[in-house]
Amino acid sequence: MKKFKKFYIEVTSICNLACTFCPQTQRAKGFIEIDTFTNILDQIKPHTDHIYLHVKGEPLLHPKIDQLLDISHDKGFKVNITSNGTLISKNRHKLLGKPALRQMNFSLHSFDGHIGSEDKEGYVMSVVKFAKEIVESSNVIISFRLWNLDTDNSTNLERKRNRDILEMLEREFALDYKIEEMFVRGKGLKLTDRVYLNQDHEFQWPDLKADEIEGPGFCHALRNQAGILVDGTVIPCCLDGEGVIDLGNIHDTPFSEIIEGERANRLYEGFSRREVVEELCRKCGYRERFST
């Protein structure tokens, strides 16, 4: 039986922002129903203990996010949530005191990624305030993300837009150093107990319209991760935001059968041979990280 370190459940395909780095989904807009969520957890329980409430969409838009966390706890899951953070003040009461919640990831690069964003300090400070509050009252881990660097992080624009945020973090966490002095791309920097900052290149979603990347390749899709979109479509990894690699639907076929189906096994076995059998995978730059 396949076991996954990470399992992504998309609780909504709707987002309140339109960031330049995140293509808007062409799929139907919707929120996961409580019964559907419960059914998914029952189906995936033999395969994982850790779920991530994210693929596309903003999870804090879900009006019953607190109930989803309660159900996750009842079923024995630990939960990670990735959010743009803009709705944290309105939803803090739905997150505090939830034992299922393991980690909150805040994509702080969303502010500059969304055209028309206003009041950067107010935005960052609301996220920081929540981070301090939940860390003080629980064992939740906080990860601030700035995934907007260019290839060498050298342009004035990159330095300026991130420096504003870094100065706030330095001040609020009483750092006695400049964050740039400790910067290692892709490696988390500990700001205080259970609070980290991660900086990396701007994220690129794989696209069927992109050029193929030649050569052999490997990926952990269906090895350490899998996912389910809000409509029940099973996908091999969190990067298939449009459900291009449709392995089946949990409303029609049990999850355990879907991941042992012909298409799933062909993808899995292909990567075992360092062969990239799916077109979307051949156009995904992320797999280059594992190809050496």
Side-chain angles (χ1 to χ4, degrees):
M1 180 178 294
K2 290 187 174 71
K3 295 280 189 177
F4 304 106
K5 294 180 180 178
K6 301 178 180 180
F7 199 100
Y8 294 85
I9 302 176
E10 184 184 67
V11 296
T12 180
S13 55
I14 303 170
C15 189
N16 61 321
L17 300 183
C19 295
T20 56
F21 57 82
C22 186
Q24 297 295 294
T25 180
Q26 301 303 306
R27 295 181 284 114
K29 309 296 185 183
F31 294 96
I32 200 166
E33 299 288 344
I34 293 295
D35 289 347
T36 299
F37 185 76
T38 302
N39 178 38
I40 288 174
L41 294 190
D42 288 338
Q43 290 198 39
I44 68 173
K45 184 57 183 175
H47 302 278
T48 190
D49 296 317
H50 292 84
I51 56 176
Y52 293 65
L53 303 187
H54 183 64
V55 178
K56 287 289 187 75
E58 168 52 50
L60 297 190
L61 275 175
H62 198 292
K64 298 180 179 179
I65 188 69
D66 49 347
Q67 293 184 42
L68 300 183
L69 288 170
D70 289 339
I71 295 168
S72 299
H73 177 63
D74 291 342
K75 299 289 185 180
F77 290 92
K78 288 298 183 181
V79 179
N80 285 30
I81 295 178
T82 297
S83 170
N84 58 44
T86 57
L87 304 173
I88 195 61
S89 295
K90 296 179 180 179
N91 289 278
R92 55 175 290 283
H93 64 287
K94 295 182 178 182
L95 304 173
L96 294 171
K98 296 300 184 184
L101 189 57
R102 174 188 173 271
Q103 181 167 326
M104 287 287 302
N105 305 314
F106 290 104
S107 301
L108 299 184
H109 49 280
S110 300
F111 184 91
D112 289 305
H114 177 73
I115 297 173
S117 294
E118 298 179 350
D119 189 14
K120 179 183 285 190
E121 182 165 8
Y123 160 68
V124 174
M125 292 308 300
S126 67
V127 174
V128 169
K129 179 180 178 181
F130 170 80
K132 289 181 176 180
E133 185 176 17
I134 199 167
V135 166
E136 183 178 344
S137 61
S138 71
N139 293 320
V140 170
I141 299 167
I142 297 292
S143 174
F144 299 130
R145 295 176 173 179
L146 282 173
W147 290 1
N148 60 358
L149 303 181
D150 61 14
T151 53
D152 58 6
N153 194 29
S154 62
T155 66
N156 290 332
L157 174 59
E158 296 292 341
R159 290 179 180 274
K160 176 62 172 63
R161 69 181 184 177
N162 282 353
R163 178 97 293 273
D164 294 339
I165 294 178
L166 298 183
E167 284 179 356
M168 291 181 233
L169 296 179
E170 290 162 0
R171 181 187 71 224
E172 291 301 313
F173 292 100
L175 304 184
D176 59 0
Y177 57 85
K178 295 289 187 182
I179 289 175
E180 288 95 338
E181 297 172 357
M182 309 294 288
F183 167 70
V184 178
R185 186 184 73 80
K187 184 176 181 180
L189 175 66
K190 185 176 181 179
L191 304 182
T192 190
D193 186 33
R194 286 180 285 114
V195 179
Y196 299 86
L197 171 67
N198 185 280
Q199 298 184 81
D200 211 328
H201 293 161
E202 182 173 308
F203 182 78
Q204 297 292 325
W205 289 89
D207 189 337
L208 287 176
K209 297 178 182 178
D211 294 332
E212 290 195 5
I213 300 170
E214 296 182 359
F218 177 79
C219 180
H220 292 287
L222 293 183
R223 275 182 162 75
N224 72 5
Q225 67 167 283
I228 296 179
L229 299 178
V230 70
D231 67 351
T233 299
V234 176
I235 53 177
C237 76
C238 63
L239 305 187
D240 187 4
E242 291 302 296
V244 173
I245 307 175
D246 181 349
L247 301 177
N249 195 291
I250 53 97
H251 296 302
D252 303 321
T253 308
F255 175 77
S256 294
E257 293 183 20
I258 291 174
I259 58 169
E260 294 297 342
E262 180 181 354
R263 189 172 189 180
N265 282 329
R266 189 168 64 246
L267 180 148
Y268 183 97
E269 293 166 2
F271 280 131
S272 296
R273 301 187 302 270
R274 299 309 190 261
E275 295 178 8
V276 188
V277 301
E278 290 284 348
E279 181 182 2
L280 186 69
C281 300
R282 293 196 295 271
K283 298 180 176 182
C284 178
Y286 201 82
R287 68 175 173 82
E288 293 182 295
R289 301 187 183 200
F290 314 115
S291 296
T292 56

